[in-house]
Amino acid sequence: MLDIQLIRRDPDAVRAALGRRGPTAAAGVDRLLELDQRWREIRTALEELQAEQNRASKGRKGPPTPEEREQLAALAARGRELSDEETAVRAQRDAELAALPNLPADDAPTEDTVLREVGNSGATGRDHLELAGPRIDMERGARLSGSRFAYLRGDLVFLEFALVGFALQKLRGEGFEPVVPPVLVRERALYGTGFLPDTEQQIYRLPDDDLYLVGTSEVALASLHEDEILAQADLPLRYAGFSTCFRREAGAAGKDTRGIFRVHQFDKVEMFCFVEPGQGPAEHERLLAIEESILTDLEIPYRVVAIAVDDLGASAAKKYDCEAWLPGQGRYRELTSTSNTTDYQARRLGIRYRPAEGRPEHVHTLNGTAVAVGRTIIALLENGQQDDGSVRLPAPLVACGAPEVLPALS
RNA sequence: GGAGAGGUGCCGGAGCGGUUGAACGGGCGCGACUGGAAAUCGCGUAACGGGGGUUGACCUCGUUCGGGGGUUCGAAUCCCCCCCUCUCCGCCA
């Protein structure tokens, strides 16, 4: 959510910034300002009336006389009218405000921009399904749950847990507290992180219980400090969340249908940080550096892409993707992603800190993928494959319990 | 799932429907006392919103006692719904 005071003070700057995302984003600003103007007028009238009521009842000991009672009743009736109107207009205004996406950072590029390529890309070879064989069981997954579901079997299960353990240990060394959060959440958490109303069609919902399945633990990690005022000394707060993620992939029909690249359910270790406003950009670079370091440890060739403004989600001001080279597809594909969401989520979730001077301020939040397990397994299989179809796994994973070599299919 | 108790400020904890933003205690901050400290005493200690303004160090008004409705001239106090916590019974990975 944007700061409405900022929009009032400098609507042109907000319109211009949102305009970089596309023509529709800026249009809401005018509707918002008009509703806000109406709201403030009603609000002023309501408060004047309340002040009058307070003056009349202040110091009162006993019941009023019949004449007084009549006057007071008239005031109260008028107050109810104004109050109802105020509530209605405020709801409309707040809906417009909530629909506005975050202001993009000045240095978020207009076009996707490749910043660098690291590692030996360009190899081609068998894809992950060929290499995994029955260790990725798509047919039975589909029989059980439908398309885009899979059983992970045998050694790949140890590979998954090695990846998770590796990531969590590495992040603990970087000052992140490990967290296993709930994956079923209330609407507020999705609204607060900007996934609602933005990406409603991607989210699984359990209507009988009014709960949603999270598409990323970012939702639960951001909400960890919902409605709290944090101590300045506690910042930055860094969390490494492990959770299963659920995505409907509506609108992706026919896209990435082979294998486990795009599935409805996968596991992920996610980084999430709460920082003082001035620290956001530096923290964002730090998250990107950790993502790159993990890819390097895992010997996965990758490139870093600064994402175009019109491709940012509602909450991100700036975003980097790390794309891994996948020999099975002969191209780079998104593996991890890190966003600086500035104060957008913090404002929606009511997360503030108390600075040394002055009133509480909203913190800035950032998120980044440490390991998206399914896609990382794809990258490891395809990049680690040997001529005979076996797969050599990197040492850091072996140290965490992965087999040195996944044998070829016989 | 059944039965009961309860949710008040940073914490504990009062609160006959009418000067209750909220007693009292603790914590914290500032000051006094002290060679220094403890103890003691004094003062202070919220968030959000509207308006004004030397535009965020000020003034003013309003709101807030889990959340939302309702009754009333007036609600922390009465009624309804929801959320959460605790206890007992049942069930259960």
Side-chain angles (χ1 to χ4, degrees):
Chain A
M1 189 152 64
L2 300 181
D3 181 1
I4 193 160
Q5 316 239 32
L6 171 72
I7 302 175
R8 285 174 191 152
R9 211 179 316 124
D10 200 352
D12 292 337
V14 172
R15 257 190 294 261
L18 289 181
R20 293 188 64 213
R21 283 175 172 269
T24 53
V29 174
D30 297 305
R31 290 194 301 273
L32 170 68
L33 284 172
E34 194 190 318
L35 284 165
D36 183 53
Q37 187 55 42
R38 268 181 63 201
W39 174 78
R40 286 197 284 172
E41 284 162 12
I42 297 166
R43 180 86 212 170
T44 300
L46 176 63
E47 287 186 1
E48 277 167 11
L49 188 129
Q50 286 172 329
E52 195 179 337
Q53 284 180 303
N54 287 342
R55 278 194 298 274
S57 65
K58 188 178 160 196
R60 169 167 296 287
K61 291 204 192 80
T65 66
E67 304 87 73
E68 284 175 328
R69 185 185 295 270
E70 200 175 317
Q71 286 179 349
L72 291 168
L75 273 183
R78 177 72 186 132
R80 264 190 292 276
E81 272 176 41
L82 273 174
S83 170
D84 288 349
E85 200 182 341
E86 190 263 354
T87 303
V89 175
R90 178 158 42 87
Q92 287 179 48
R93 182 200 70 171
D94 289 349
E96 287 290 350
L97 181 60
L100 295 177
N102 200 0
L103 303 177
D106 291 337
D107 59 349
T110 307
E111 303 281 339
D112 280 352
T113 307
V114 176
L115 299 182
R116 55 185 163 274
E117 297 188 52
V118 179
N120 294 317
S121 62
T124 57
R126 285 167 277 217
D127 81 359
H128 69 283
L129 277 192
E130 292 176 79
L131 294 160
R135 292 170 289 204
I136 293 177
D137 192 337
M138 303 300 299
E139 289 76 16
R140 293 190 177 95
R143 187 176 68 194
L144 171 72
S145 303
S147 64
R148 297 198 192 279
F149 285 96
Y151 284 95
L152 205 62
R153 304 175 62 169
D155 281 343
L156 289 190
V157 174
F158 290 110
L159 175 54
E160 152 140 4
F161 286 128
L163 271 169
V164 172
F166 163 74
L168 289 175
Q169 281 177 32
K170 176 154 186 135
L171 291 175
R172 185 175 55 182
E174 298 281 352
F176 288 73
E177 178 190 337
V179 179
V180 178
V183 293
L184 283 169
V185 302
R186 295 226 181 90
E187 185 176 40
R188 167 101 198 262
L190 287 161
Y191 175 88
T193 41
F195 289 99
L196 288 176
D198 188 44
T199 58
E200 191 178 0
Q201 70 288 350
Q202 292 304 330
I203 305 171
Y204 284 105
R205 179 164 184 222
L206 283 72
D208 286 349
D209 299 281
D210 265 327
L211 290 169
Y212 297 80
L213 279 163
V214 298
T216 163
S217 52
E218 172 190 346
V219 174
L221 294 174
S223 302
L224 191 56
H225 294 296
E226 176 180 323
D227 286 330
E228 292 181 25
I229 300 178
L230 304 166
Q232 184 177 34
D234 289 341
L235 298 177
L237 285 166
R238 301 186 172 109
Y239 298 101
F242 168 80
S243 83
T244 302
C245 306
F246 303 91
R247 300 187 181 178
R248 295 186 64 228
E249 298 297 348
K255 210 197 297 184
D256 300 315
T257 51
R258 182 169 164 81
I260 58 168
F261 186 82
R262 188 179 298 278
V263 285
H264 289 307
Q265 174 191 329
F266 61 96
D267 295 331
K268 181 155 67 80
V269 177
E270 177 82 359
M271 303 179 282
F272 198 92
C273 309
F274 301 83
V275 305
E276 291 181 50
Q279 298 305 307
E283 189 72 8
H284 197 199
E285 298 302 321
R286 190 166 183 267
L287 290 182
L288 177 61
I290 292 171
E291 292 186 356
E292 293 193 58
S293 169
I294 288 172
L295 292 170
T296 301
D297 287 341
L298 298 181
E299 299 167 25
I300 296 171
Y302 68 92
R303 68 179 186 185
V304 179
V305 181
I307 297 300
V309 278
D310 56 351
D311 244 0
L312 297 170
S315 62
K318 189 179 176 187
K319 175 161 131 180
Y320 298 115
D321 282 0
C322 291
E323 299 181 340
W325 178 261
L326 298 185
Q329 296 190 25
R331 57 176 170 152
Y332 284 106
R333 297 304 306 270
E334 178 186 343
L335 201 60
T336 66
S337 178
T338 176
S339 296
N340 182 355
T341 51
T342 62
D343 59 357
Y344 190 82
Q345 296 178 328
R347 182 167 286 107
R348 290 164 90 102
L349 286 167
I351 306 171
R352 292 168 292 168
Y353 80 106
R354 211 177 283 281
E357 290 283 310
R359 306 164 41 144
E361 255 184 82
H362 290 102
V363 299
H364 282 203
T365 59
L366 303 98
N367 64 81
T369 321
V371 170
V373 172
R375 290 191 178 183
T376 305
I377 287 177
I378 294 174
L380 287 168
L381 293 182
E382 296 187 2
N383 285 292
Q385 65 179 298
Q386 305 180 100
D387 290 342
D388 65 355
S390 65
V391 175
R392 184 163 295 283
L393 293 172
L397 290 181
V398 176
C400 288
E404 266 178 70
V405 174
L406 293 172
L409 302 173
S410 48

